Amino acid sequence: YTYRDLSDNPVLASLWKEVVPKHAFRHRFLLQGLFALAAHHKLQDQVDNPIDLIDTADQYQQEALSTYINLLNDITEENCHALFAFSQVIVAVSYSRLTLDIDRQIRTSEELIVGMVEIFELLKGALVIAEKASVWLHAGDLGPMMEDRTEVRPSMPPATRNPGIKALSKLSDHIAGLGDDSTEGKVRVESLLSTIQLLYTIFLEDYDPVDQLNKVVGLPVFVDSNYTNLLRVQDDASLVVLSYYGIALYRMHHAWILKSIGARIVQAAASLCDALNSVGLEDRVLLATSDAYETRVQSWWFANARYRPWCFLQPHNAHELSVAVKALASSGQGAGDWHIAVRSGGHSFPGSNNIVDGVTIDLGMMNRSHYDHGRKLASVEPGAAWKDVYHDLLHNGNVTVTGGRDGGVGVGGYLLGGGISYYTGRNGFGCDEVINFEVVLANGSIIDANADQNPDLWKALKGGGPNFGIVTRFDVRTMPAVDLAYGQNIIASNHSDEVIDVVVDFTNHPEELGDDHLITLYTHDASLSKDVTIIVIRVNTRGDLNTTSFNRVTEIPALTSSWERKSLANAANDSQVPAGGKNVGKTLTLLNSPGILRQSASLHAKLVADLAETIGAESFTTQMFLQPFPSYLSSIGQRNGGNMLGLDRIPSNAIVWDAGISITNGDDAALALAQAKLGTVISKLEQFAVEDGAASEFVYMNYADASQDPLGSYGPENVAFMKDVARRYDPEGFWQQRVPGGFKLSRVSSSP
């Protein structure tokens, strides 16, 4: 009897009972959706193995959702009825899922609001189908469902004693007074008021009770998308408005799919508003007295970056961060010497994203990923790790994005510094795929930066680092998730010359072969081998195991070799470099020449021998990477609106060289010695590059050491542009003066 609670309307209930199952037997995804819904209905009873039933429901849901998403791009007269029915089934399943999680007390208020945003967006899917297949649906056996989808038109409240209408009217008057002269402010108020006007329709006294469940559940179909965006960032006024929708849902609690959801939405909205209205953000602060404080300290990848600030401030959304930035910006005047750091993933060099004397804004709680099926965009928050982003996008949309290869790396710093990816040969840098940045500025305002709004800031953020604001959301182009063809060849160091010849040849491949990706690593790790080992990682992003681009690699004798298909999510998870060492690293860009690469291999071998003699071979590991950097990457960036990297200044195909040393015994004296010896290596390599005609000024930010100048390497024209943008969006210089970590424009000369 699952169908009975899908509608209060007896006509529609009969359609669910008799007609929808007929379509389900012709369309497997709809049948799977109905199975998932039935499993959720069964879970309302006391069952012996609820976890097994939940897993079964989830399996049916994921399989059905994957097919549904693909078919939204191919709606036909034959499949439109099944798609339309499924669009409502999946919403019912999603509501039930929220209810189940609530009953088991495993959802926070923030997660509940995120779940509601996802339901709002799923409901939009029904509207897409209804618009594309209107004629077919009206003429078919599910036509009465279309009649029920007549648009809910916003209206002003009638004179009434209805307490709900009166409360909404007061709320409307209050929100109307919140507007300011900015475009963002006007859009916000208009969106909130239009949503309130929709809510009037479900609080009217003469509302037909037969259709009430359908109208209440379907209301978000007609909600302004700007309101959904406000809800996504947990804007305080949007949460108050949502609480009224929660009241309406509570009135429908007789339907098992809604159960306790309405009451909990009201509670969640109230608790979040209280937190957001607290400028002190007490419940977002970790002091050293907190049990979680030391755990957070230890989460930095570099052991030598594990500073202990006065406190960690952990905002959960853009609004909370806005409140925090305004509060911090208004503090700190006088002779005191304290500052602010900002951390996304915690992988950059010591001092760039943490601080001792001051406050560290830790974005680790802003780690959500969301796929917008209609726009085919992924919205990713800065504190997410790439392995989690790929997993979420794979399972929720069967898509992926151009992002980090090491799954433990954070989103924020990676994209602001450029972002080399397996997909760089076909899509450019990760930053080139960002079509919109949501940014909190120094004055606390929250703005979007894209090709149409604040386009100068959009361009500056693509490689410009932490100089303009804190990005709270990256909207990124997606592509279908195709398993990679992925392999590693582990090769003895006596084949170094052959490996370098392969690297040089691969770097000269044309853009037409951009689906193939090569990374070469020279490494010392005494726990694995007493000799330097070479690891060649080869990837085809189309999953082509028969690509010929790596033929020369496979001709070199290997100690071990692999070549298989694996998802990007699994590849990223398997590629995480272990944390906890005291590390130092530097980078150069070298023009593609076998001579300079052989010098780099020789210098690395000598570095390993020197360190083994002075601090012991077991006390350190090394990594030296050679990564192809073809000149056509500049053209890809320009096609996507331009970036700040200045790649057009590199005269030919090049190699990004970077080397790092990790001290595994925790000895600070050994770290200082390693840093000095690595400095000697890079000085000699730079000298060889000049003599060989292989020198390049470009310094890749994400691999750079604090002593290097990636921003200056972009060229004087780009430096001047970034400084102009920084002055426009941060006229007081807050990000330059109060947030000293990372690479700062204030420390770069604009002169050539």
Side-chain angles (χ1 to χ4, degrees):
Y1 301 106
T2 297
Y3 73 94
R4 289 180 175 174
D5 282 325
L6 293 177
S7 177
D8 285 336
N9 185 316
V11 174
L12 299 186
S14 69
L15 291 180
W16 283 109
K17 179 184 179 182
E18 299 171 7
V19 179
V20 171
K22 294 179 182 178
H23 288 284
F25 284 114
R26 294 196 296 269
H27 298 276
R28 179 179 171 81
F29 71 92
L30 177 56
L31 185 62
Q32 291 171 318
L34 292 176
F35 283 161
L37 186 62
H40 274 268
H41 194 184
K42 180 65 177 176
L43 282 165
Q44 305 301 316
D45 303 324
Q46 296 295 324
V47 295
D48 294 334
N49 296 300
I51 300 302
D52 291 343
L53 201 53
I54 290 172
D55 289 342
T56 299
D58 286 351
Q59 181 179 352
Y60 282 130
Q61 178 182 346
Q62 290 301 325
E63 291 177 5
L65 194 58
S66 177
T67 303
Y68 169 74
I69 291 167
N70 291 330
L71 287 176
L72 286 179
N73 296 316
D74 187 26
I75 299 174
T76 67
E77 185 176 4
E78 195 273 332
N79 67 25
C80 65
H81 303 86
L83 286 170
F84 189 65
F86 182 85
S87 70
Q88 297 169 71
V89 168
I90 194 64
V91 170
V93 170
S94 298
Y95 267 122
S96 177
R97 180 79 221 199
L98 280 180
T99 298
L100 291 170
D101 284 344
I102 289 166
D103 288 346
R104 288 158 176 77
Q105 299 181 338
I106 62 173
R107 277 194 178 270
T108 65
S109 295
E110 292 88 348
E111 290 172 327
L112 180 59
I113 301 303
V114 169
M116 287 302 300
V117 169
E118 292 174 351
I119 288 174
F120 274 39
E121 291 174 342
L122 281 171
L123 279 162
K124 293 291 186 182
L127 190 60
V128 169
I129 299 165
E131 290 173 348
K132 288 186 177 180
S134 176
V135 174
W136 297 330
L137 289 169
H138 274 103
D141 51 12
L142 295 183
M145 286 189 180
M146 286 294 291
E147 299 300 325
D148 187 62
R149 291 285 164 175
T150 303
E151 181 172 351
V152 178
R153 299 190 179 277
S155 62
M156 296 306 294
T160 179
R161 294 182 180 180
N162 184 309
I165 294 292
K166 293 174 70 175
L168 281 170
S169 182
K170 288 183 179 180
L171 177 61
S172 180
D173 291 340
H174 173 73
I175 287 177
L178 296 178
D180 55 40
D181 293 331
S182 69
T183 302
E184 293 83 4
K186 292 177 180 177
V187 169
R188 174 177 180 254
V189 169
E190 289 171 2
S191 174
L192 292 167
L193 291 177
S194 69
T195 305
I196 291 172
Q197 289 173 7
L198 285 171
L199 286 169
Y200 286 138
T201 65
I202 55 178
F203 281 88
L204 293 176
E205 292 172 312
D206 59 352
Y207 207 90
D208 184 356
V210 171
D211 291 325
Q212 196 166 11
L213 175 62
N214 303 313
K215 296 295 185 184
V216 171
V217 172
L219 185 79
V221 170
F222 308 108
V223 166
D224 187 330
S225 61
N226 290 316
Y227 174 76
T228 306
N229 291 334
L230 291 173
L231 206 55
R232 183 181 292 112
V233 299
Q234 297 178 3
D235 171 89
D236 49 356
S238 75
L239 292 169
V240 175
V241 173
L242 181 67
S243 69
Y244 282 86
Y245 184 57
I247 293 170
L249 288 172
Y250 177 73
R251 293 161 62 182
M252 303 293 105
H253 67 271
H254 61 277
W256 64 265
I257 61 170
L258 300 177
K259 203 178 178 184
S260 58
I261 189 72
R264 283 300 302 266
I265 287 172
V266 175
Q267 295 168 4
S271 67
L272 285 170
C273 287
D274 288 341
L276 294 171
N277 288 332
S278 173
V279 174
L281 297 168
E282 290 89 349
D283 59 344
R284 300 296 188 247
V285 174
L286 284 184
L287 298 169
T289 53
S290 167
D291 292 339
Y293 178 90
E294 191 60 26
T295 300
R296 204 60 190 151
V297 168
Q298 298 303 317
S299 69
W300 263 254
W301 188 72
F302 286 71
N304 44 319
R306 293 172 179 172
Y307 302 163
R308 290 171 174 78
W310 294 349
C311 68
F312 293 112
L313 181 62
Q314 297 181 309
H316 286 210
N317 53 64
H319 184 85
E320 289 186 8
L321 179 61
S322 168
V323 172
V325 168
K326 284 190 287 188
L328 290 170
S330 64
S331 305
Q333 290 81 13
D337 184 19
W338 67 274
H339 296 285
I340 301 157
V342 181
R343 173 247 173 98
S344 294
H347 263 68
S348 194
F349 61 85
S352 63
N353 52 22
N354 203 358
I355 202 161
V356 175
D357 293 322
V359 176
T360 293
I361 298 174
D362 176 8
L363 303 177
M365 297 298 177
M366 297 179 64
N367 57 19
R368 293 173 286 266
S369 306
H370 169 75
Y371 177 54
D372 185 324
H373 300 283
R375 296 191 300 158
K376 299 188 186 306
L377 294 177
S379 294
V380 185
E381 292 185 331
W386 283 110
K387 62 183 176 64
D388 299 322
V389 172
Y390 299 143
H391 178 273
D392 291 347
L393 296 180
L394 177 65
H395 289 279
N396 295 322
N398 199 32
V399 296
T400 193
V401 292
T402 300
R405 296 164 299 189
D406 182 323
V409 169
V411 166
Y414 171 90
L415 288 175
L416 294 178
I420 297 176
S421 166
Y422 293 131
Y423 298 92
T424 291
R426 53 190 268 203
N427 297 335
F429 285 82
C431 67
D432 293 326
E433 290 289 278
V434 180
I435 70 158
N436 181 70
F437 300 88
E438 181 187 76
V439 191
V440 173
L441 301 180
N443 63 7
S445 61
I446 304 172
I447 67 170
D448 286 315
N450 51 57
D452 299 315
Q453 299 173 271
N454 307 303
D456 53 349
L457 180 58
W458 176 57
K459 185 176 180 180
L461 285 166
K462 293 195 280 185
N467 285 285
F468 314 100
I470 299 177
V471 177
T472 52
R473 193 186 75 243
F474 300 84
D475 296 329
V476 186
R477 293 185 189 90
T478 63
M479 52 194 159
V482 176
D483 283 355
L484 307 172
Y486 182 96
Q488 292 188 9
N489 284 29
I490 300 179
I491 299 169
S493 59
N494 61 322
H495 293 287
S496 177
D497 285 352
E498 298 163 75
V499 170
I500 284 172
D501 288 340
V502 167
V503 173
V504 171
D505 177 69
F506 187 92
T507 302
N508 290 329
H509 281 186
E511 185 175 352
E512 290 73 21
L513 297 178
D515 292 334
D516 296 304
H517 187 78
L518 187 77
I519 313 167
T520 303
L521 165 64
Y522 286 66
T523 182
H524 159 78
D525 185 341
S527 67
L528 301 177
S529 172
K530 65 178 182 179
D531 298 317
V532 169
T533 301
I534 306 171
I535 303 174
V536 179
I537 301 171
R538 48 200 172 104
V539 174
N540 178 275
T541 56
R542 304 282 185 187
D544 183 4
L545 294 171
N546 297 314
T547 176
T548 60
S549 291
F550 306 115
N551 285 356
R552 292 190 62 184
V553 176
T554 58
E555 291 171 359
I556 302 172
L559 301 173
T560 65
S561 177
S562 64
W563 189 230
E564 61 182 338
R565 285 195 179 96
K566 64 164 61 177
S567 70
L568 178 57
N570 288 338
N573 191 62
D574 295 343
S575 298
Q576 297 177 80
V577 178
K582 292 190 173 182
N583 302 331
V584 60
K586 291 181 182 291
T587 186
L588 290 174
T589 303
L590 307 168
L591 301 187
N592 191 26
S593 160
I596 190 65
L597 298 188
R598 288 191 171 94
Q599 288 286 359
S600 72
S602 176
L603 287 169
H604 174 259
K606 187 176 185 308
L607 173 68
V608 169
D610 287 349
L611 287 174
E613 184 177 348
T614 52
I615 65 175
E618 303 285 345
S619 299
F620 71 98
T621 62
T622 68
Q623 293 184 326
M624 184 188 80
F625 287 95
L626 304 175
Q627 300 188 62
F629 206 65
S631 58
Y632 64 73
L633 295 181
S634 175
S635 299
I636 296 177
Q638 291 304 315
R639 293 198 296 266
N640 288 326
N643 58 45
M644 289 290 95
L645 304 177
L647 301 184
D648 56 320
R649 291 161 46 84
I650 304 175
S652 65
N653 294 330
I655 299 289
V656 171
W657 173 95
D658 74 284
I661 304 170
S662 179
I663 302 301
T664 55
N665 65 3
D667 188 345
D668 287 335
L671 179 65
L673 179 65
Q675 187 164 13
K677 287 190 176 293
L678 185 58
T680 299
V681 167
I682 203 168
S683 295
K684 289 182 177 179
L685 193 56
E686 286 176 317
Q687 181 182 345
F688 284 133
V690 171
E691 294 172 355
D692 193 42
S696 169
E697 293 181 8
F698 179 74
V699 177
Y700 178 47
M701 180 182 291
N702 288 353
Y703 298 160
D705 174 70
S707 65
Q708 298 184 286
D709 182 17
L711 293 172
S713 78
Y714 297 170
E717 183 177 338
N718 283 346
V719 170
F721 176 84
M722 289 187 289
K723 286 190 171 185
D724 182 59
V725 173
R727 281 190 293 268
R728 188 172 303 130
Y729 292 91
D730 181 20
E732 302 299 323
F734 174 80
W735 304 111
Q736 306 300 317
Q737 300 168 24
R738 296 299 311 283
V739 189
F743 299 105
K744 295 298 179 180
L745 287 165
S746 57
R747 300 194 285 264
V748 182
S749 171
S750 299
S751 303

